[in-house]
Amino acid sequence: MVNLKGRDFLKLLDFTSEEIEYLINSAIDLKNKKRHGVPHRYLEGKQVALLFEKDSTRTRCAFEVGAKDLGMEVTYLGPTGSQMGKKETIADTARVLTRMYDGIEYRGFDQTIVEEIAKYSTVPVWNGLTNEFHPTQMLADVMTIKEEFGSFQGKKLVFCGDARNNVGNSLMVVSAKLGMHFTCCAPKELFPEEKLVEECQKICSRTGGSITLTEDIMEGTKDADALYTDVWVSMGEAPELWEKRINLLKPYQVNMDVMKNAKENAIFLHCLPSFHNIGTTIGKEIYDKYGLSEMEVTDEVFESSHSRVFEEAENRLHTIKAVMLETLR
């Protein structure tokens, strides 16, 4: 019997395959309850704090709506909402919040920050995103794959782009944990760190999964069940990186030729936000400067029948709710 009560949720490397599957199944149950109007205020009266050093749409909304669905109250502390790291140490902030709240979420920069919050907290701490890992996003991704195909065991998941970022790292980890076949399509300089690759390969030896790194996008995406990409310059990185990343990653754009190279029933995933047109400030700036109207994915793929990006976005709610429920009840 899986019991996650009191556990922190900092990175998926900390969890067994069985525990990850348990969280996904809990999320599916909570999704069914919400869709059928079944009350599930299991955590009535509890309080959670959301520490955001990086802004977000999906992560914030998922934690706030999920907490309220479960009967909890929420305090949101945005980038200027606390003194953490400015007038107060991370340790002191954690020791204050742990005496007022039943759970603490952190979204921001180095993984060491959320690890330090957890070190000084006596209540569960949840990672909403760090530079290195994005575990709540991964639960939503594999939940979407399970809903689409009935299972994730043995499925081929291909990530195209900067595979050293938090999404690329975390996709490789969750694929290894769940016995999936993960392929990274990227220039060599943007491959995941060798140490993490080796750790994931050891996990694969137990789960039946595999890790493949290739610079050839057509070779890598052949017969894929799911194609995944992310923005070419991550939140918090210098804007000056755009030109270099565009030159490196243009060959790894997910367009319809790449999509058709996957299986006929393959799906497209993206953690969002996405630059698939010039309907954003940054999208327009990139178009004006570099002439690109689409970046990591074309609008044709993003809006196609293969796309599951909004189902995936909705599943952030249900999986985050599952993490809070299973670690607090």
Side-chain angles (χ1 to χ4, degrees):
M1 177 66 181
V2 173
N3 183 356
L4 302 178
K5 183 176 175 60
R7 290 274 297 276
D8 297 318
F9 188 76
L10 307 181
K11 60 185 184 298
L12 291 179
L13 287 168
D14 300 333
F15 289 78
T16 67
S17 305
E18 292 74 21
E19 288 169 340
I20 295 169
E21 288 195 51
Y22 179 82
L23 285 169
I24 294 164
N25 289 334
S26 176
I28 291 170
D29 176 62
L30 289 167
K31 183 175 183 176
N32 288 333
K33 283 183 168 66
K34 186 171 179 69
R35 289 199 164 183
H36 291 95
V38 178
H40 45 282
R41 298 175 65 84
Y42 304 130
L43 300 176
E44 193 84 49
K46 290 188 181 294
Q47 306 267 351
V48 294
L50 308 182
L51 271 171
F52 275 62
E53 291 192 302
K54 289 183 180 179
D55 288 325
S56 168
T57 300
R58 281 149 297 281
T59 304
R60 177 179 176 178
C61 293
F63 269 103
E64 289 197 357
V65 174
K68 290 174 183 178
D69 280 353
L70 292 168
M72 295 191 287
E73 296 295 328
V74 178
T75 300
Y76 172 76
L77 298 168
T80 61
S82 82
Q83 295 295 342
M84 187 178 76
K86 298 186 283 289
K87 295 182 179 179
E88 186 170 61
T89 66
I90 295 166
D92 289 354
T93 300
R95 286 181 287 191
V96 168
L97 295 179
T98 198
R99 285 163 172 77
M100 298 183 183
Y101 293 94
D102 300 286
I104 303 167
E105 180 271 355
Y106 171 79
R107 177 185 172 93
F109 297 96
D110 288 346
Q111 180 73 14
T112 54
I113 298 174
V114 75
E115 300 275 356
E116 187 170 1
I117 293 170
K119 177 181 177 180
Y120 289 97
S121 173
T122 58
V123 301
V125 174
W126 311 301
N127 179 359
L129 174 145
T130 62
N131 292 342
E132 293 81 10
F133 295 107
H134 199 356
T136 59
Q137 178 67 51
M138 296 307 104
L139 293 183
D141 298 339
V142 293
M143 177 179 171
T144 308
I145 289 170
K146 182 170 184 177
E147 288 178 326
E148 185 72 25
F149 300 112
S151 69
F152 25 69
Q153 184 79 30
K155 298 301 177 191
K156 181 178 178 179
L157 172 62
V158 180
F159 180 78
C160 303
D162 181 359
R164 303 165 312 159
N165 71 9
N166 47 25
V167 171
N169 286 342
S170 299
L171 283 172
M172 183 167 62
V173 171
V174 77
S175 295
K177 289 280 185 177
L178 296 177
M180 297 171 64
H181 302 295
F182 176 78
T183 296
C184 152
C185 291
K188 275 188 180 176
E189 64 188 89
L190 298 182
F191 281 178
E193 288 188 8
E194 188 174 337
K195 183 179 178 182
L196 183 61
V197 173
E198 291 173 357
E199 188 170 3
C200 288
Q201 286 172 332
K202 288 179 183 176
I203 296 168
C204 285
S205 68
R206 302 192 297 269
T207 65
S210 66
I211 307 295
T212 302
L213 310 179
T214 179
E215 292 187 280
D216 188 329
I217 190 169
M218 298 310 281
E219 176 187 309
T221 56
K222 183 70 176 173
D223 295 326
D225 295 289
L227 300 186
Y228 199 122
T229 190
D230 191 9
V231 294
W232 290 343
V233 175
S234 297
M235 186 187 306
E237 291 190 303
E240 294 76 33
L241 285 172
W242 274 112
E243 184 172 5
K244 181 181 179 183
R245 292 285 174 80
I246 286 169
N247 291 333
L248 276 172
L249 292 172
K250 269 172 70 175
Y252 299 93
Q253 181 190 69
V254 179
N255 54 42
M256 197 52 80
D257 287 339
V258 171
M259 197 75 232
K260 287 178 178 176
N261 193 49
K263 288 182 179 176
E264 188 176 353
N265 66 338
I267 61 173
F268 171 74
L269 300 172
H270 194 304
C271 54
L272 302 181
S274 167
F275 297 123
H276 58 97
N277 56 31
I278 58 172
T280 63
T281 302
I282 293 176
K284 182 66 166 56
E285 288 174 358
I286 295 297
Y287 177 74
D288 290 341
K289 194 168 184 178
Y290 303 108
L292 277 181
S293 59
E294 304 163 309
M295 281 184 270
E296 73 276 5
V297 60
T298 62
D299 196 60
E300 183 181 17
V301 170
F302 188 89
E303 299 290 355
S304 74
S305 60
H306 296 284
S307 181
R308 297 293 181 275
V309 296
F310 297 111
E311 290 84 352
E312 179 187 8
E314 180 195 343
N315 285 340
R316 293 296 306 285
L317 167 62
H318 310 300
T319 47
I320 282 173
K321 194 189 297 187
V323 169
M324 291 190 290
L325 174 62
E326 300 302 338
T327 57
L328 288 180
R329 72 172 171 182

